[in-house]
Every structure is written in C-alpha cells, then in structure tokens.
Amino acid sequence: MIGVLITTVTALALVSGVAVLLATRRARTAVRVLLDLLTAAGLLRLAAARGWPDLGAAAAIVVLRQLLWASLAAWRPWPRRQSRPRCGEDDHHLPLAVGGEAGETGRMTT
C-alpha cells in the first residue's frame, strides 16, 4: 500500500512541476515545487522501510534538495543587453559625435 502511495506522490511531483513551469514560466518555482514533493515522497519511503540505509537515503535527498535550492537562489541571470547600444538614426546631426571635434573641456570625442 505504501509503495503505491510513494509512486503516486512521485508521479504527482513530476506533473505538478511541469504544470507550475507551464503556468508561471519560471523554472526556479517549478524546481522548488518538484523538490518539495520529491522530499515528501522520500519521507514516505522512509516510513515504509525502517533501516539505517533508508534513513541515510532520506537524509541525502534532503541535503541534495537544500544544496540545489541554495545554488538556484544564488544564481543571477545575465543582463539582457550584452553589447553597446547602437546610435539612434537622428544622432548623426550632432557635430561632436560625427566630426570627432573637441568639446568645451578640450577632450576629443571618438
């Protein structure tokens, strides 16, 4: 009976993770839901079999979940713009930008 419950919770974890990803389009939120429900499945597995190896496996799942979530929380995406902005089409009428003339401070532009 517990085996069927564990399999059901694991399957629902995967379905819920995909549903959250499709609904919110945020992978971090989907991974968080998936990890939480897989942790619940691991704890159910621990309740079914009461041995030291099973306890070690459940502890490893919890530690892996914490490490993965910490690495996802620390990750920052790249900024969208990676190159210098292009000049606008109406910027060419500026004399300093086109001719490379000295401005008021005496420095050359381009």
Side-chain angles (χ1 to χ4, degrees):
M1 182 66 185
I2 294 283
V4 174
L5 184 61
I6 294 169
T7 305
T8 304
V9 170
T10 304
L12 287 176
L14 294 173
V15 170
S16 298
V18 170
V20 168
L21 180 64
L22 293 175
T24 64
R25 296 185 186 257
R26 294 182 184 212
R28 290 172 59 183
T29 305
V31 169
R32 181 80 189 246
V33 168
L34 177 67
L35 289 175
D36 285 344
L37 291 174
L38 287 178
T39 302
L43 293 175
L44 284 172
R45 183 173 291 126
L46 179 63
R50 297 180 183 136
W52 286 108
D54 297 316
L55 180 62
I61 290 171
V62 170
V63 168
L64 182 64
R65 175 191 170 274
Q66 292 294 331
L67 289 174
L68 185 58
W69 181 245
S71 68
L72 285 174
W75 178 75
R76 298 285 181 243
W78 286 88
R80 296 203 185 268
R81 181 178 297 261
Q82 295 293 319
S83 60
R84 295 176 54 196
R86 298 188 312 190
C87 292
E89 292 184 23
D90 59 346
D91 288 345
H92 298 291
H93 71 281
L94 302 173
L96 295 178
V98 175
E101 302 168 4
E104 292 179 18
T105 62
R107 288 193 278 174
M108 294 295 291
T109 61
T110 349

